[in-house]
Every structure is written in structure tokens, then in C-alpha cells.
Amino acid sequence: MPLRNELPPRSGPWASRFDSEDALYQAEDALRAAALKNHDLSPILPFEAVYGPFLECAGKATAFAIDPREPYTADGEINYVHADFLTLGLLYGVYRPAEGAGPTGPAGEDDLWNTTVYPYPGGAIDPTKIGLGELGLDAPGVDRRFVHFCAGILGVEAVDDLGELRETFDEAWPDYRDVIRAGLLHLIRNRPLTVDQWYALTYISFHDQRQLTAFLGQVYAYLFDGFDAMPVAPR
């Protein structure tokens, strides 16, 4: 079963960092609380919901990218651009149930293990705001948590950690597992999301709909049917 350190490096269009330990701790506290409150292993929160309005978000995290207009300087060096997160920033948390959390799912902070917490710029699809109908996800048993699952756990920063989630996924909240099961089955059977929409949500590019559907089928089999090989998304 491959884990992140056994796979080639993966990166999205941005790299990001928290600018202080205080900003990281504040984000983790808020995301962990949202995970427990909403029964959501991959909560996503807007910057303003955690740090306050507009300018109070400055200095909390920084995003870096290679300038697409001028990727190299006149000296041949890589031309990085960076910016503070403000109103378009999102905070992602990815958690897994602690071993021994029990059949009803995590009940307190000690029942959740942190996989990763990271800031990321808002993209073409904001997983905290887009309507389920716009993604073709207005299906029985599916709610906002499935959008978070796709954007967070199946997104570019965390998809290679599926092996860590698998170990204790059976101890997630039953209602959460039901939502993820219903959402994956809906995507596999009905194919409502285009590969362009999937990229806008996850920053992972699939060649065509058939490749995306096959991957989602592997994710379902891995989490729910005991399939041993961890699904590996394209790079």
C-alpha cells in the first residue's frame, strides 16, 4: 500500500504556508471544532470565519506560485509571486478517527488524529459556497460534507494520504460514512462532474471522464469494500 513518502512529489498550482505558529494553532482549533460539530473529517473554513474580516486576515498565511506570465526572470531564475491571503483564502483540515474512537465516531478532540492543516487560495469553485446542484450533487444522502471530502481528502494536498484514512475509516461517524458512500456511488453511476469541474475543485487533472470514474470506483472499493491497493491519482 503506497503512502505519500513512497510517491513522487505532488503539487498544486500554489504552495502555501502559515506565517506564524499562532495562525496555525488558531486554524487547527477552529477546523477541529468544525470537524466534531459537523461530523466532517475534512472541514473547510473561509479565512474570515477564523481570523476576522478582511485586513485582520493579513499576515496569517502566504501563497506562492510561479508567475504564469513570466515564469523566469531576465537572469534565468524562477520568478515566484506571492501574496497574503485575505477574503479569498480557505483553510483546509484533514482528519482521521483515532484508533479506538468506537462505532459511533469521534466524540472529542482526542478521538481525532490530524493528517494535515493548510491554507489555500480560493479557486474557480469554492467548496464552502457552491450549490450542490451546480455540481450535480443534489442527490439523496449527499450533503456539503461530500464536497469537502472531494476538495480536501481527494484534493491535491491530501489524496496521497488515503492510506492513513483507511486504517480507521470504519470508526468515522456512521452518518459521515453514509454521506461519502452515497456521494461516491452517485459520481460513479451518474458522472455529473466533468473533468474540468473536478480540477477546479481538487487541482487534480484527469485525462477524461472514464479515467476519473475509474479512480472514484477505486476510492469506493478501497474505503468500503476492502480493496487492498490504495488508489493513486494522476500527477
Side-chain angles (χ1 to χ4, degrees), residues 120-159:
Y120 217 74
I125 292 179
D126 184 338
T128 68
K129 295 179 180 178
I130 192 164
L132 295 181
E134 295 178 69
L135 297 175
L137 293 176
D138 49 349
V142 180
D143 61 31
R144 174 71 53 189
R145 291 175 293 177
F146 183 68
V147 182
H148 290 180
F149 173 82
C150 295
I153 289 176
L154 299 185
V156 69
E157 294 289 331
V159 68

Short mmCIF file of all heavy atoms in Angstrom, two decimals, residues 120-159:
data_model
loop_
_atom_site.label_atom_id
_atom_site.label_comp_id
_atom_site.label_asym_id
_atom_site.label_seq_id
_atom_site.Cartn_x
_atom_site.Cartn_y
_atom_site.Cartn_z
N TYR A 120 -5.09 27.64 1.59
CA TYR A 120 -5.01 27.57 0.13
C TYR A 120 -5.89 28.67 -0.46
O TYR A 120 -6.96 28.97 0.06
CB TYR A 120 -5.48 26.20 -0.37
CG TYR A 120 -4.67 25.71 -1.55
CD1 TYR A 120 -3.38 25.23 -1.37
CD2 TYR A 120 -5.18 25.74 -2.84
CE1 TYR A 120 -2.62 24.78 -2.43
CE2 TYR A 120 -4.44 25.29 -3.92
CZ TYR A 120 -3.16 24.81 -3.71
OH TYR A 120 -2.42 24.37 -4.78
N PRO A 121 -5.44 29.28 -1.56
CA PRO A 121 -6.28 30.32 -2.18
C PRO A 121 -7.56 29.75 -2.73
O PRO A 121 -7.61 28.60 -3.19
CB PRO A 121 -5.38 30.84 -3.32
CG PRO A 121 -4.00 30.40 -2.99
CD PRO A 121 -4.15 29.11 -2.24
N GLY A 122 -8.63 30.52 -2.66
CA GLY A 122 -9.88 30.10 -3.28
C GLY A 122 -9.72 29.99 -4.78
O GLY A 122 -9.04 30.80 -5.41
N GLY A 123 -10.30 28.95 -5.37
CA GLY A 123 -10.16 28.72 -6.80
C GLY A 123 -11.45 29.01 -7.55
O GLY A 123 -12.32 29.76 -7.08
N ALA A 124 -11.57 28.39 -8.71
CA ALA A 124 -12.75 28.63 -9.55
C ALA A 124 -14.01 28.09 -8.88
O ALA A 124 -15.10 28.61 -9.11
CB ALA A 124 -12.55 27.96 -10.91
N ILE A 125 -13.87 27.05 -8.07
CA ILE A 125 -15.01 26.51 -7.31
C ILE A 125 -14.68 26.64 -5.83
O ILE A 125 -13.67 26.12 -5.36
CB ILE A 125 -15.27 25.04 -7.67
CG1 ILE A 125 -15.77 24.92 -9.11
CG2 ILE A 125 -16.28 24.42 -6.71
CD1 ILE A 125 -16.04 23.49 -9.56
N ASP A 126 -15.54 27.33 -5.10
CA ASP A 126 -15.38 27.46 -3.66
C ASP A 126 -16.21 26.36 -2.99
O ASP A 126 -17.44 26.39 -3.03
CB ASP A 126 -15.88 28.84 -3.20
CG ASP A 126 -15.66 29.09 -1.70
OD1 ASP A 126 -15.52 28.10 -0.95
OD2 ASP A 126 -15.65 30.26 -1.29
N PRO A 127 -15.55 25.37 -2.39
CA PRO A 127 -16.30 24.24 -1.83
C PRO A 127 -17.18 24.60 -0.65
O PRO A 127 -18.04 23.82 -0.26
CB PRO A 127 -15.20 23.26 -1.41
CG PRO A 127 -13.98 24.10 -1.22
CD PRO A 127 -14.10 25.21 -2.21
N THR A 128 -16.98 25.79 -0.08
CA THR A 128 -17.81 26.21 1.06
C THR A 128 -19.08 26.93 0.61
O THR A 128 -19.98 27.13 1.43
CB THR A 128 -17.03 27.14 2.00
OG1 THR A 128 -16.77 28.40 1.35
CG2 THR A 128 -15.72 26.51 2.43
N LYS A 129 -19.16 27.30 -0.67
CA LYS A 129 -20.28 28.12 -1.13
C LYS A 129 -21.06 27.53 -2.29
O LYS A 129 -22.27 27.78 -2.41
CB LYS A 129 -19.78 29.52 -1.54
CG LYS A 129 -19.21 30.34 -0.40
CD LYS A 129 -18.73 31.70 -0.90
CE LYS A 129 -18.16 32.55 0.23
NZ LYS A 129 -17.65 33.85 -0.27
N ILE A 130 -20.42 26.80 -3.17
CA ILE A 130 -21.10 26.35 -4.38
C ILE A 130 -22.28 25.46 -4.03
O ILE A 130 -22.23 24.64 -3.10
CB ILE A 130 -20.12 25.61 -5.31
CG1 ILE A 130 -20.77 25.42 -6.68
CG2 ILE A 130 -19.64 24.29 -4.70
CD1 ILE A 130 -19.80 25.04 -7.78
N GLY A 131 -23.37 25.64 -4.75
CA GLY A 131 -24.55 24.83 -4.51
C GLY A 131 -24.36 23.40 -4.98
O GLY A 131 -23.68 23.15 -5.99
N LEU A 132 -24.95 22.45 -4.27
CA LEU A 132 -24.82 21.06 -4.67
C LEU A 132 -25.36 20.84 -6.08
O LEU A 132 -24.80 20.05 -6.85
CB LEU A 132 -25.56 20.16 -3.69
CG LEU A 132 -25.03 20.11 -2.25
CD1 LEU A 132 -25.87 19.14 -1.42
CD2 LEU A 132 -23.57 19.72 -2.20
N GLY A 133 -26.41 21.55 -6.43
CA GLY A 133 -27.00 21.40 -7.76
C GLY A 133 -26.05 21.83 -8.86
O GLY A 133 -26.08 21.28 -9.97
N GLU A 134 -25.20 22.82 -8.60
CA GLU A 134 -24.25 23.28 -9.61
C GLU A 134 -23.22 22.21 -9.94
O GLU A 134 -22.60 22.24 -11.02
CB GLU A 134 -23.56 24.56 -9.14
CG GLU A 134 -24.47 25.76 -8.98
CD GLU A 134 -23.73 26.97 -8.47
OE1 GLU A 134 -22.91 27.52 -9.22
OE2 GLU A 134 -23.97 27.37 -7.30
N LEU A 135 -23.00 21.29 -9.02
CA LEU A 135 -22.06 20.20 -9.25
C LEU A 135 -22.77 18.89 -9.60
O LEU A 135 -22.12 17.85 -9.74
CB LEU A 135 -21.19 19.98 -8.01
CG LEU A 135 -20.28 21.13 -7.60
CD1 LEU A 135 -19.58 20.82 -6.29
CD2 LEU A 135 -19.25 21.42 -8.70
N GLY A 136 -24.08 18.95 -9.72
CA GLY A 136 -24.83 17.73 -9.99
C GLY A 136 -24.86 16.79 -8.81
O GLY A 136 -25.05 15.59 -8.96
N LEU A 137 -24.71 17.34 -7.60
CA LEU A 137 -24.66 16.52 -6.39
C LEU A 137 -25.92 16.62 -5.54
O LEU A 137 -25.92 16.21 -4.38
CB LEU A 137 -23.44 16.90 -5.55
CG LEU A 137 -22.08 16.59 -6.16
CD1 LEU A 137 -20.96 17.12 -5.26
CD2 LEU A 137 -21.91 15.10 -6.40
N ASP A 138 -26.99 17.14 -6.11
CA ASP A 138 -28.25 17.20 -5.38
C ASP A 138 -28.93 15.84 -5.48
O ASP A 138 -29.91 15.64 -6.19
CB ASP A 138 -29.15 18.32 -5.91
CG ASP A 138 -29.29 18.29 -7.42
OD1 ASP A 138 -28.54 17.55 -8.09
OD2 ASP A 138 -30.18 19.01 -7.94
N ALA A 139 -28.35 14.90 -4.75
CA ALA A 139 -28.79 13.51 -4.80
C ALA A 139 -29.13 13.04 -3.39
O ALA A 139 -28.62 13.59 -2.41
CB ALA A 139 -27.69 12.63 -5.41
N PRO A 140 -29.98 12.03 -3.25
CA PRO A 140 -30.34 11.54 -1.91
C PRO A 140 -29.11 11.12 -1.11
O PRO A 140 -28.22 10.43 -1.62
CB PRO A 140 -31.24 10.33 -2.22
CG PRO A 140 -31.80 10.61 -3.58
CD PRO A 140 -30.72 11.33 -4.33
N GLY A 141 -29.06 11.58 0.14
CA GLY A 141 -27.99 11.19 1.03
C GLY A 141 -26.71 12.00 0.91
O GLY A 141 -25.76 11.76 1.66
N VAL A 142 -26.66 12.96 -0.02
CA VAL A 142 -25.44 13.74 -0.24
C VAL A 142 -25.62 15.13 0.34
O VAL A 142 -26.66 15.77 0.15
CB VAL A 142 -25.11 13.84 -1.75
CG1 VAL A 142 -23.83 14.67 -1.97
CG2 VAL A 142 -24.95 12.46 -2.35
N ASP A 143 -24.60 15.62 1.07
CA ASP A 143 -24.65 16.99 1.57
C ASP A 143 -23.28 17.64 1.42
O ASP A 143 -22.38 17.10 0.77
CB ASP A 143 -25.16 17.04 3.03
CG ASP A 143 -24.28 16.28 4.01
OD1 ASP A 143 -23.05 16.19 3.81
OD2 ASP A 143 -24.82 15.77 5.02
N ARG A 144 -23.13 18.84 2.01
CA ARG A 144 -21.92 19.64 1.85
C ARG A 144 -20.65 18.88 2.23
O ARG A 144 -19.58 19.12 1.69
CB ARG A 144 -22.05 20.90 2.73
CG ARG A 144 -20.82 21.80 2.79
CD ARG A 144 -20.57 22.53 1.50
NE ARG A 144 -21.77 23.23 1.09
CZ ARG A 144 -21.90 23.83 -0.11
NH1 ARG A 144 -20.92 23.80 -0.96
NH2 ARG A 144 -23.04 24.44 -0.42
N ARG A 145 -20.77 17.93 3.15
CA ARG A 145 -19.58 17.21 3.59
C ARG A 145 -18.95 16.41 2.46
O ARG A 145 -17.73 16.19 2.46
CB ARG A 145 -19.94 16.29 4.77
CG ARG A 145 -20.28 17.06 6.04
CD ARG A 145 -20.75 16.12 7.13
NE ARG A 145 -22.04 15.49 6.82
CZ ARG A 145 -22.62 14.58 7.59
NH1 ARG A 145 -22.04 14.17 8.70
NH2 ARG A 145 -23.79 14.07 7.25
N PHE A 146 -19.74 16.00 1.48
CA PHE A 146 -19.16 15.27 0.36
C PHE A 146 -18.34 16.19 -0.54
O PHE A 146 -17.30 15.79 -1.08
CB PHE A 146 -20.23 14.54 -0.45
CG PHE A 146 -19.65 13.71 -1.55
CD1 PHE A 146 -18.91 12.57 -1.26
CD2 PHE A 146 -19.82 14.06 -2.88
CE1 PHE A 146 -18.34 11.80 -2.26
CE2 PHE A 146 -19.27 13.29 -3.90
CZ PHE A 146 -18.53 12.16 -3.59
N VAL A 147 -18.78 17.44 -0.70
CA VAL A 147 -17.98 18.41 -1.45
C VAL A 147 -16.65 18.63 -0.73
O VAL A 147 -15.59 18.69 -1.36
CB VAL A 147 -18.74 19.74 -1.60
CG1 VAL A 147 -17.92 20.74 -2.41
CG2 VAL A 147 -20.10 19.52 -2.26
N HIS A 148 -16.69 18.75 0.60
CA HIS A 148 -15.45 18.90 1.37
C HIS A 148 -14.56 17.67 1.21
O HIS A 148 -13.33 17.79 1.12
CB HIS A 148 -15.79 19.10 2.85
CG HIS A 148 -16.42 20.42 3.14
ND1 HIS A 148 -16.79 20.79 4.42
CD2 HIS A 148 -16.76 21.46 2.35
CE1 HIS A 148 -17.31 22.00 4.39
NE2 HIS A 148 -17.31 22.42 3.14
N PHE A 149 -15.15 16.48 1.19
CA PHE A 149 -14.40 15.24 1.01
C PHE A 149 -13.64 15.26 -0.31
O PHE A 149 -12.44 14.93 -0.37
CB PHE A 149 -15.35 14.05 1.07
CG PHE A 149 -14.72 12.72 0.73
CD1 PHE A 149 -14.02 12.00 1.69
CD2 PHE A 149 -14.86 12.19 -0.54
CE1 PHE A 149 -13.45 10.76 1.39
CE2 PHE A 149 -14.30 10.95 -0.86
CZ PHE A 149 -13.58 10.25 0.10
N CYS A 150 -14.32 15.66 -1.37
CA CYS A 150 -13.67 15.71 -2.68
C CYS A 150 -12.57 16.77 -2.72
O CYS A 150 -11.45 16.50 -3.16
CB CYS A 150 -14.71 16.00 -3.77
SG CYS A 150 -15.94 14.70 -4.00
N ALA A 151 -12.88 17.97 -2.24
CA ALA A 151 -11.92 19.07 -2.30
C ALA A 151 -10.75 18.88 -1.34
O ALA A 151 -9.61 19.26 -1.64
CB ALA A 151 -12.62 20.40 -1.99
N GLY A 152 -11.02 18.26 -0.18
CA GLY A 152 -9.99 18.11 0.83
C GLY A 152 -9.30 16.77 0.77
O GLY A 152 -8.14 16.66 0.37
N ILE A 153 -9.99 15.70 1.10
CA ILE A 153 -9.36 14.38 1.17
C ILE A 153 -8.95 13.88 -0.21
O ILE A 153 -7.91 13.23 -0.36
CB ILE A 153 -10.31 13.38 1.86
CG1 ILE A 153 -10.40 13.72 3.36
CG2 ILE A 153 -9.85 11.95 1.67
CD1 ILE A 153 -11.37 12.88 4.15
N LEU A 154 -9.70 14.20 -1.26
CA LEU A 154 -9.32 13.79 -2.62
C LEU A 154 -8.64 14.91 -3.37
O LEU A 154 -8.37 14.78 -4.57
CB LEU A 154 -10.55 13.30 -3.40
CG LEU A 154 -11.28 12.08 -2.82
CD1 LEU A 154 -12.39 11.63 -3.76
CD2 LEU A 154 -10.31 10.92 -2.56
N GLY A 155 -8.33 16.03 -2.70
CA GLY A 155 -7.67 17.16 -3.32
C GLY A 155 -6.16 16.98 -3.39
O GLY A 155 -5.59 16.06 -2.81
N VAL A 156 -5.50 17.91 -4.07
CA VAL A 156 -4.09 17.75 -4.41
C VAL A 156 -3.18 17.65 -3.19
O VAL A 156 -2.14 16.97 -3.24
CB VAL A 156 -3.64 18.91 -5.34
CG1 VAL A 156 -3.61 20.24 -4.58
CG2 VAL A 156 -2.30 18.63 -5.98
N GLU A 157 -3.55 18.25 -2.08
CA GLU A 157 -2.67 18.26 -0.91
C GLU A 157 -2.80 17.02 -0.04
O GLU A 157 -1.94 16.78 0.80
CB GLU A 157 -2.96 19.51 -0.07
CG GLU A 157 -2.61 20.82 -0.74
CD GLU A 157 -1.11 21.03 -0.88
OE1 GLU A 157 -0.37 20.51 -0.04
OE2 GLU A 157 -0.70 21.71 -1.84
N ALA A 158 -3.86 16.24 -0.20
CA ALA A 158 -4.11 15.16 0.76
C ALA A 158 -4.44 13.81 0.14
O ALA A 158 -4.46 12.81 0.85
CB ALA A 158 -5.25 15.55 1.71
N VAL A 159 -4.67 13.74 -1.17
CA VAL A 159 -5.13 12.49 -1.76
C VAL A 159 -4.12 11.36 -1.57
O VAL A 159 -4.50 10.18 -1.47
CB VAL A 159 -5.47 12.68 -3.25
CG1 VAL A 159 -4.22 12.97 -4.08
CG2 VAL A 159 -6.24 11.48 -3.80
#
